[in-house]
């Protein structure tokens, strides 16, 4: 899945995160991850700022994908719908890796520092989308609110998707979650 | 402002965070903060898990206040409006300390680890409010979406409030931000 692979990284992030999934985050050393990926420790730190970043190696590509998709959304789309379309497109990519997503999320949920790092990455996705909306002529606070509300929709859809037994795919969960947000903010 | 003071802490968080505001977070040691607050280092760590927590000493009380206010909102209020009412009430308390809020936010913005910690605290407020909504009979995902959307409204209102020269108070910024979210999700 190219949108989730760093173009300059030697191996897909899945292979490196594997040890965290097998043994747990705390129990795995950088040396072990580097070895599994065929890297020296020194090379490891050329690709990752710290041990946590291994689990978020795809975040930059995901952000680029969202930004690109949002930038090319039809001008006629309302900001919140343009954001949702971009998130659905990203959801279609993530859909191909549901089992990995589920295992990775369990690793993150078990560690406070990983949860912090995840929140930073999600906040960054929201800021990047708000910036695209501004470039599309949407003013603030509508730009920020559309992006932030979109991220809330995504987070809740993602959680349902990995916790359910797979009846609905992620793009469908995102569409439903957006529909529910619209109902909720209409006071229903 | 009692809602932002730990009942068991010897001094208001403002006094302890003072050194971060004066010198910066990285430049301040735990020993220095403890001394300023009249604590030993050992006592300091009875109150705070780490150096970052000093800036978030009021988070627990704020959460209790939000939870209590939301729990006692009129049954007739739609979930998103009940959440907004609780946030406005908290906003009225924060309003009294605008200059401190502005300086504290500058300290947080300048440090990645503090930004991460802040996101965790905000996520915790959102989860706590979602839980209250569930207890009030709101189903998921409406409960989570109302709480998360409310937190997005709050974050954006807070940012406007501290960045503006003070024409509008925080509760007013929250009301306006909610109105804008409603317009945005209605596709306007």
């Amino acid at each position: 899945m190219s949108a989730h692979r760093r173009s300059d990284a030697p191996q897909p992030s899945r292979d490196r995160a594997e040890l965290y999934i097998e043994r747990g985050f705390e129990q795995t050393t950088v040396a072990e991850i580097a070895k599994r990926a065929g890297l020296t420790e020194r090379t490891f730190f050329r690709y990752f700022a710290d041990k946590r970043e291994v689990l978020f190696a795809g975040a930059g590509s995901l952000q680029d994908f969202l930004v690109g998709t949002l930038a090319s959304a039809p001008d006629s789309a309302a900001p919140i719908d343009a954001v949702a379309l971009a998130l659905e497109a990203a959801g279609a990519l993530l859909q191909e890796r549901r089992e990995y997503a589920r295992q990775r999320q369990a690793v993150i949920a078990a560690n406070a520092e990983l949860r912090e790092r995840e929140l930073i990455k999600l906040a960054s996705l929201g800021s990047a989308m708000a910036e695209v909306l501004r470039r599309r002529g949407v003013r603030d606070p509508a730009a920020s609110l559309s992006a932030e509300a979109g991220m809330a929709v995504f987070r809740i859809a993602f959680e349902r998707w990995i916790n359910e037994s797979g009846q609905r795919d992620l793009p469908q969960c995102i569409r439903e979650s957006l529909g529910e947000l619209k109902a909720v903010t209409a006071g229903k």
Side-chain angles (χ1 to χ4, degrees), chain A residues 8-24:
Chain A
D8 59 341
Q11 297 215 8
S13 59
R14 184 181 351 209
D15 300 340
R16 285 182 303 248
E18 219 169 49
L19 282 174
Y20 293 159
I21 291 167
E22 285 169 29
R23 304 183 192 175

Side-chain angles (χ1 to χ4, degrees), chain A residues 121-167:
Chain A
K121 299 294 181 186
L122 291 170
S124 170
L125 296 182
S127 301
M129 289 201 293
E131 186 51 39
V132 176
L133 290 177
R134 276 178 220 115
R135 287 205 305 267
R136 286 169 61 95
V138 181
R139 293 191 176 208
D140 259 324
S144 303
L145 281 165
S146 301
E148 295 280 328
M151 288 310 299
V153 160
F154 179 80
R155 281 199 308 274
I156 286 159
F158 186 86
E159 204 176 306
R160 297 183 86 185
W161 172 65
I162 56 167
N163 289 326
E164 284 181 356
S165 48
Q167 306 94 317

Side-chain angles (χ1 to χ4, degrees), chain A residues 149-187:
Chain A
M151 288 310 299
V153 160
F154 179 80
R155 281 199 308 274
I156 286 159
F158 186 86
E159 204 176 306
R160 297 183 86 185
W161 172 65
I162 56 167
N163 289 326
E164 284 181 356
S165 48
Q167 306 94 317
R168 295 175 302 172
D169 66 17
L170 182 53
Q172 190 184 348
C173 289
I174 293 170
R175 278 192 298 278
E176 288 181 15
S177 184
L178 176 67
E180 281 150 353
L181 175 73
K182 288 182 176 186
V184 151
T185 50

Side-chain angles (χ1 to χ4, degrees), chain A residues 33-181:
Chain A
I33 307 166
K35 193 179 168 199
R36 171 78 63 109
L39 301 171
T40 64
E41 259 191 79
R42 192 173 156 186
T43 316
F44 177 91
F45 285 111
R46 265 191 14 224
Y47 293 114
F48 305 103
D50 59 33
K51 192 180 148 188
R52 290 189 275 170
E53 278 298 307
V54 170
L55 279 162
F56 303 95
S61 306
L62 177 60
Q63 183 161 319
D64 292 346
F65 178 83
L66 281 174
V67 160
T69 310
L70 180 55
S72 62
D75 286 342
S76 60
I80 187 77
D81 295 317
V83 166
L85 282 172
L87 291 169
E88 280 174 42
L93 297 179
L94 293 169
Q95 178 63 36
E96 297 169 29
R97 301 174 65 179
R98 183 171 176 277
E99 190 48 29
Y100 171 69
R102 203 185 56 71
Q103 292 175 332
R104 174 180 172 278
Q105 210 59 33
V107 172
I108 293 171
N111 181 281
E113 291 196 336
L114 290 173
R115 291 198 300 275
E116 287 190 335
R117 183 63 53 88
E118 182 183 42
L119 289 171
I120 281 279
K121 299 294 181 186
L122 291 170
S124 170
L125 296 182
S127 301
M129 289 201 293
E131 186 51 39
V132 176
L133 290 177
R134 276 178 220 115
R135 287 205 305 267
R136 286 169 61 95
V138 181
R139 293 191 176 208
D140 259 324
S144 303
L145 281 165
S146 301
E148 295 280 328
M151 288 310 299
V153 160
F154 179 80
R155 281 199 308 274
I156 286 159
F158 186 86
E159 204 176 306
R160 297 183 86 185
W161 172 65
I162 56 167
N163 289 326
E164 284 181 356
S165 48
Q167 306 94 317
R168 295 175 302 172
D169 66 17
L170 182 53
Q172 190 184 348
C173 289
I174 293 170
R175 278 192 298 278
E176 288 181 15
S177 184
L178 176 67
E180 281 150 353
L181 175 73

